[in-house]
Amino acid sequence: MDGVTELAHGKVSKVIRRGDGFTWHGVPLEPYKPTTETYRNVTRRELVGKRGEGTAFHLRYFEVAPGGFTTYERHQHEHVVVPLRGRGVVLIGEARHEVGVGDVIYVAPDDPHQLGAPAGASEPFGFLCIVDAVRDRPVPVEGYGVCDICV
Amino acid sequence: MDGVTELAHGKVSKVIRRGDGFTWHGVPLEPYKPTTETYRNVTRRELVGKRGEGTAFHLRYFEVAPGGFTTYERHQHEHVVVPLRGRGVVLIGEARHEVGVGDVIYVAPDDPHQLGAPAGASEPFGFLCIVDAVRDRPVPVEGYGVCDICV
């Protein structure tokens, strides 16, 4: 299984090897969203859930470059975020949290939220994000939230 | 929210702060299973899903001390495992994988599996494990699998 870069599809046990830095063999780098109007400098890697697995959840890795931020948005599905790299700023409702590796962030239904990396950061802010496989579409919230602070 | 050790229950946004090492404020250390017959030196921390959140998944952190191993078992629900600490050995079916921080392990339905930490390891093997919230009960599999190798 090791050294094979094409990941198995379907319900097939596998080890997705971490590569250099925060990359994984067989997991392509993707844009965070199709359009870039509401976010800045965010990438996405789909780790589990988009290759025919049957889990009720999807596991993704996002990375926000210094000065970047995700869309300030809300939705009914919940977010669970676990930072793996660097430090970031999480805005949830009116609360602003500085977070680091190993913290666990739970975003409740319908709470507006945004994740960002301080402009002066020495490395990107990278985090796992786990969501229900069946979920509603996010709705952008007016304003840019945390980006006023961290960019 | 910071500095409060009692974690909010229900669908309430929160940051679960990592404490010293691989601990989290407000998250108690629990035994891996009620009885110790089929495993050795494994602890559990429930991070998300057991405090009234509505996620279709549960996020837990397990730690296996050097020489320890989880139950060699099978079940219909899938496992997603992300090591955060140390190195471990994962047995899935007849395959044995050495894994480290940041690898992602997907265990398919009904595949017998076990996770262990080498007896000579300098630190525990710690990992996130994500499972469906609604899931079947594991069934122990004959034999101890990887423990013959890693203990």
Side-chain angles (χ1 to χ4, degrees), chain B residues 62-134:
Chain B
F62 294 94
E63 208 164 79
V64 185
F69 49 86
T70 65
T71 305
Y72 186 48
E73 65 188 20
R74 66 201 310 165
H75 39 68
Q76 284 301 309
H77 65 271
E78 295 143 287
H79 268 319
V80 173
V81 170
V82 184
L84 292 187
R85 178 183 194 184
R87 294 192 62 81
V89 177
V90 181
L91 188 73
I92 308 175
E94 297 182 352
R96 179 182 180 276
H97 308 275
E98 296 186 18
V99 296
V101 174
D103 289 334
V104 177
I105 301 110
Y106 166 79
V107 181
D110 211 34
D111 274 359
H113 58 278
Q114 185 179 48
L115 296 99
S122 59
E123 65 176 323
F125 174 48
F127 54 89
L128 298 174
C129 179
I130 314 160
V131 289
D132 289 357
V134 178

Side-chain angles (χ1 to χ4, degrees), chain A residues 49-50 53-58 130-136, chain B residues 56-57:
Chain A
K50 290 291 185 76
E53 303 92 344
T55 51
F57 56 89
H58 292 171
I130 315 160
V131 288
D132 288 358
V134 177
R135 58 187 184 271
D136 60 325
Chain B
F57 57 89

Side-chain angles (χ1 to χ4, degrees), chain A residues 48-77:
Chain A
V48 177
K50 290 291 185 76
R51 295 183 186 84
E53 303 92 344
T55 51
F57 56 89
H58 292 171
L59 174 66
R60 304 89 51 83
Y61 174 78
F62 294 94
E63 208 164 80
V64 184
F69 48 86
T70 66
T71 305
Y72 186 48
E73 65 187 20
R74 66 201 310 165
H75 39 68
Q76 283 302 308
H77 65 271

